[in-house]
Amino acid sequence: MAKLGSEINHDNGFNRNEDFNKNLLRKLKAKAGIIKLGGGKENIEKHHKRNKLTARERIEKLIDPGSYFLEIGLFAAYDMYTEYGGAPASGTIFGIGKIHGRDVVVVANDATVKAGAWFPITCKKNLRAQEISIENRLPIVYLVDSAGVFLPMQDEIFPDKEHFGRIFRNNAVMSSMGITQIAAIMGPCVAGGAYLPIMSDEAMIVEKTGSVFLAGPALVKAAIGEDADIEELGGASMHCEISGVTDYKMPNDDICLETIRNIISKLGHTTKAGFDRIAPKPPKFDSSEIYGILSDDRTKPYDTYQLLARIVDEDSFDEYKAGIGKTIITAYARIDGWAVGIVANQRAIVKTKKGEMQFGGVIYCDSADKGTRFIMNCNQKNIPLIFLQDVTGFMVGTRSEQGGIIKDGAKMVNAVANSVVPKITFIIGNSYGAGNYAMCGKAYDPRFIFGWPTMQIAVMGGKQSSETLLTIRLGGNKDKISEEEKQKMLSEIQDRYNRQLDPLYAAARLWVDDIIDPIDTRKIISYALEIASNNPNIPRFNPGVIQT
């Protein structure tokens, strides 16, 4: 076993880093608390007066008491749709939790936010829920309470491949795959949205509060001149006793949720993926020290081995090709007992055998080649991969180009793209350029992808990008513009670019599943692997053409 990490002095540098990172987390948690109120306390009170539970209350009653709920997309739509008053968490809450000990995806419309209406990012979030259900063969429960598509933005929700209709297409595909889908109509369910619960395997409806129809009373009156109320058009009694559209009539939210729990408890069991797990050991060093290791300045190096020593099980670290390609760390290890392959960017400046210095966080030819080989090995051994990103990209310059950095980078990207074992990605710092791709960014189908509060995702760093954009904007006029004007233009460009580098900007658009507390990384990896193990269908790894 390779020795991993060491005791750390809690000096001024450590304390400064710790204060910086804890302050980032404190601000993040404060924003999360506001988002969890959905449409606000006043709307929650109105909801309760209608004898309805809120979306979060419904989820809490649905999952096993005291169990962990891995929420996805809490920050979806953050600072978006402000012209319409915003859409906290995109008006939909979803995640994975346990029901009678089984892992289940739960999706709940938050009717305190614009009556649960669907914005463009709401659609993307629901598709992500279905994707997780499909990839991990998990049952999915829909708690429906929605006014349907947010009409002012219908052109961005309705017609395209990854828009509203894709959800119903997925309902059909998931059913054919044998993935259990249960829907509870706990509020309005209108127009095209009516297909989601009815295309599920079983649908229940709550009396007096639930309704489902293609057209509501106003539209029916306008279209055909008929006067009809909500209950006779699409209420619980009508659909359970006349149309037969729904399967169960429920007197209230509580009994509805308990019925779902009972159905889930009776599902048949399936085989697992067979990922290796033994009794876990805690890390050798305190995980809370991560706050003091991670630098308060993203341009400063730090030792990634020290981070890993506070995440992986003690005495479980076997490093692969430790002597070469040192700007990427590749190792077999265990996390909470699970066998994993780790691919992590080393942020410390390293020295090669030839005595040359290499920048931390940069992928060189030898590190790309090492990463490629290790990813292939993990696929051969059926070992899930954990990527820890803090990467500024591939090395540039004459020497790297002549050394074949494009070819070596392409090999690593190829291996990541064709990897068949579960991949779980954490963006802990920089995620720039093609480094994002090689280290399994969102485009490369990680089963889950999370960010730390220190993450940044962009084509390149803020300083380089801003200066490049300024040069383009100036064009041939650079000699005609004063230095003061240039600085003003540069400042405007930097401000805009820095807004896009904010972790919340990425989380709002679901480039990551969530922004997490760094010390929860180990817990989340363990639960993500437990979720992934529900799908036993791991295809044979075929890397395609990799040039040597």
Side-chain angles (χ1 to χ4, degrees):
M1 297 289 176
K3 182 182 178 183
L4 179 65
S6 62
E7 298 284 352
I8 290 179
N9 292 325
H10 289 209
D11 55 16
N12 288 339
F14 180 97
N15 293 331
R16 186 173 60 251
N17 291 342
E18 184 178 50
D19 289 345
F20 174 81
N21 288 304
K22 284 187 174 180
N23 191 44
L24 283 180
L25 193 62
R26 178 186 60 78
K27 292 178 180 177
L28 188 74
K29 287 182 176 179
K31 291 173 181 175
I34 295 170
I35 290 169
K36 287 180 180 179
L37 291 174
K41 292 181 180 179
E42 186 177 330
N43 283 329
I44 290 172
E45 288 173 9
K46 289 179 181 177
H47 207 69
H48 286 158
K49 286 177 181 177
R50 300 186 188 109
N51 295 316
K52 294 168 68 174
L53 298 171
T54 66
R56 292 190 180 277
E57 290 167 343
R58 287 166 177 167
I59 291 171
E60 187 177 355
K61 285 179 176 284
L62 181 63
I63 64 174
D64 294 345
S67 64
Y68 178 54
F69 183 68
L70 179 59
E71 184 168 354
I72 304 295
L74 171 63
F75 295 100
Y78 180 83
D79 205 26
M80 296 171 67
Y81 315 125
T82 52
E83 67 272 36
Y84 302 112
S90 80
T92 294
I93 300 157
F94 105 80
I96 305 97
K98 289 193 178 295
I99 300 177
H100 286 287
R102 302 164 188 257
D103 298 313
V104 179
V105 176
V106 182
V107 186
N109 299 123
D110 185 353
T112 70
V113 179
K114 301 287 190 299
W118 288 57
F119 289 79
I121 205 69
T122 316
C123 191
K124 185 175 182 179
K125 189 170 177 177
N126 278 263
L127 287 170
R128 177 66 178 135
Q130 291 181 320
E131 181 180 48
I132 288 173
S133 175
I134 291 168
E135 287 183 333
N136 301 288
R137 297 300 189 273
L138 298 184
I140 186 167
V141 173
Y142 307 99
L143 305 179
V144 183
D145 192 345
S146 172
V149 165
F150 187 66
L151 289 177
M153 303 190 75
Q154 63 86 24
D155 61 318
E156 297 180 47
I157 307 168
F158 174 68
D160 211 346
K161 180 178 179 181
E162 298 300 330
H163 284 178
F164 204 49
R166 189 74 174 184
I167 291 167
F168 316 136
R169 174 264 186 196
N170 285 352
N171 287 140
V173 170
M174 292 163 73
S175 183
S176 73
M177 295 172 69
I179 295 172
T180 297
Q181 300 175 85
I182 299 172
I185 302 164
M186 310 180 86
C189 186
V190 186
Y195 288 105
L196 186 147
I198 308 311
M199 291 189 72
S200 299
D201 302 311
E202 293 182 85
M204 50 196 69
I205 185 168
V206 179
E207 288 186 279
K208 306 303 180 185
T209 57
S211 59
V212 56
F213 35 64
L214 294 182
L219 183 56
V220 168
K221 177 67 174 176
I224 62 173
E226 180 184 352
D227 290 309
D229 65 25
I230 287 176
E231 287 301 313
E232 63 181 328
L233 263 181
S237 294
M238 192 283 284
H239 278 309
C240 286
E241 298 167 11
I242 299 175
S243 74
V245 166
T246 51
D247 306 306
Y248 306 85
K249 183 168 71 171
M250 298 284 106
N252 55 49
D253 281 8
D254 287 282
I255 293 175
C256 180
L257 296 167
E258 187 58 38
T259 302
I260 296 172
R261 285 182 53 81
N262 291 340
I263 293 170
I264 293 290
S265 73
K266 298 175 178 69
L267 298 182
H269 294 274
T270 58
T271 57
K272 300 293 185 181
F275 307 131
D276 189 67
R277 192 183 192 189
I278 62 173
K281 290 183 180 180
K284 185 174 182 179
F285 303 103
D286 187 349
S287 293
S288 68
E289 290 185 323
I290 288 173
Y291 300 130
I293 295 168
L294 198 63
S295 177
D296 65 342
D297 181 347
R298 65 182 55 256
T299 65
K300 291 181 181 178
Y302 61 85
D303 190 354
T304 304
Y305 287 103
Q306 295 286 24
L307 288 183
L308 293 173
R310 286 147 182 87
I311 295 173
V312 307
D313 293 11
E314 184 177 1
D315 298 329
S316 71
F317 191 80
D318 293 301
E319 189 168 5
Y320 174 79
K321 289 187 179 288
I324 63 169
K326 294 184 179 183
T327 62
I328 284 183
I329 299 168
T330 51
Y332 302 106
R334 290 191 183 274
I335 295 177
D336 199 35
W338 292 98
V340 298
I342 293 173
V343 182
N345 301 113
Q346 169 60 300
R347 277 303 312 274
I349 296 173
V350 300
K351 184 183 289 188
T352 68
K353 190 174 182 180
K354 297 177 182 178
E356 300 163 340
M357 305 304 292
Q358 293 186 340
F359 298 109
V362 179
I363 302 176
Y364 291 78
C365 292
D366 55 353
S367 44
D369 182 71
K370 179 173 79 169
T372 302
R373 293 172 183 270
F374 182 72
I375 291 164
M376 294 171 73
N377 285 352
C378 288
N379 275 272
Q380 183 189 48
K381 296 175 174 66
N382 198 29
I383 298 175
L385 284 157
I386 310 298
F387 290 85
L388 297 176
Q389 285 196 21
D390 193 344
V391 56
T392 54
F394 288 91
M395 190 59 189
V396 297
T398 305
R399 185 169 184 176
S400 289
E401 298 291 1
Q402 292 177 356
I405 187 65
I406 295 175
K407 179 181 71 174
D408 289 325
K411 288 192 295 184
M412 187 172 177
V413 169
N414 188 323
V416 173
N418 286 296
S419 180
V420 295
V421 295
K423 299 167 289 191
I424 304 167
T425 300
F426 294 84
I427 303 176
I428 65 179
N430 304 318
S431 180
Y432 298 157
N436 172 279
Y437 305 156
M439 294 296 295
C440 197
K442 185 67 181 288
Y444 289 79
D445 297 323
R447 291 285 181 98
F448 296 95
I449 179 168
F450 300 97
W452 287 6
T454 43
M455 76 168 178
Q456 286 189 352
I457 304 173
V459 171
M460 63 181 76
K463 183 176 184 296
Q464 304 95 312
S465 184
S466 298
E467 290 175 355
T468 302
L469 288 169
L470 178 63
T471 301
I472 293 169
R473 181 183 290 188
L474 291 173
N477 298 317
K478 62 180 180 179
D479 296 330
K480 301 175 185 177
I481 298 175
S482 68
E483 284 302 316
E484 184 178 351
E485 288 177 302
K486 287 179 185 177
Q487 286 303 313
K488 183 181 178 182
M489 291 170 67
L490 180 61
S491 178
E492 290 172 354
I493 292 169
Q494 286 176 333
D495 288 346
R496 185 176 71 252
Y497 201 81
N498 286 337
R499 284 196 299 273
Q500 295 174 358
L501 289 173
D502 191 299
L504 287 167
Y505 189 92
R509 290 153 180 80
L510 293 176
W511 298 349
V512 293
D513 289 324
D514 199 9
I515 307 172
I516 66 164
D517 186 336
I519 65 171
D520 288 339
T521 301
R522 177 180 163 86
K523 175 178 74 173
I524 288 171
I525 289 172
S526 180
Y527 190 36
L529 290 174
E530 181 182 331
I531 291 166
S533 69
N534 285 285
N535 183 0
N537 302 316
I538 305 294
R540 183 177 179 274
F541 176 62
N542 184 351
V545 177
I546 293 184
Q547 294 182 347
T548 57

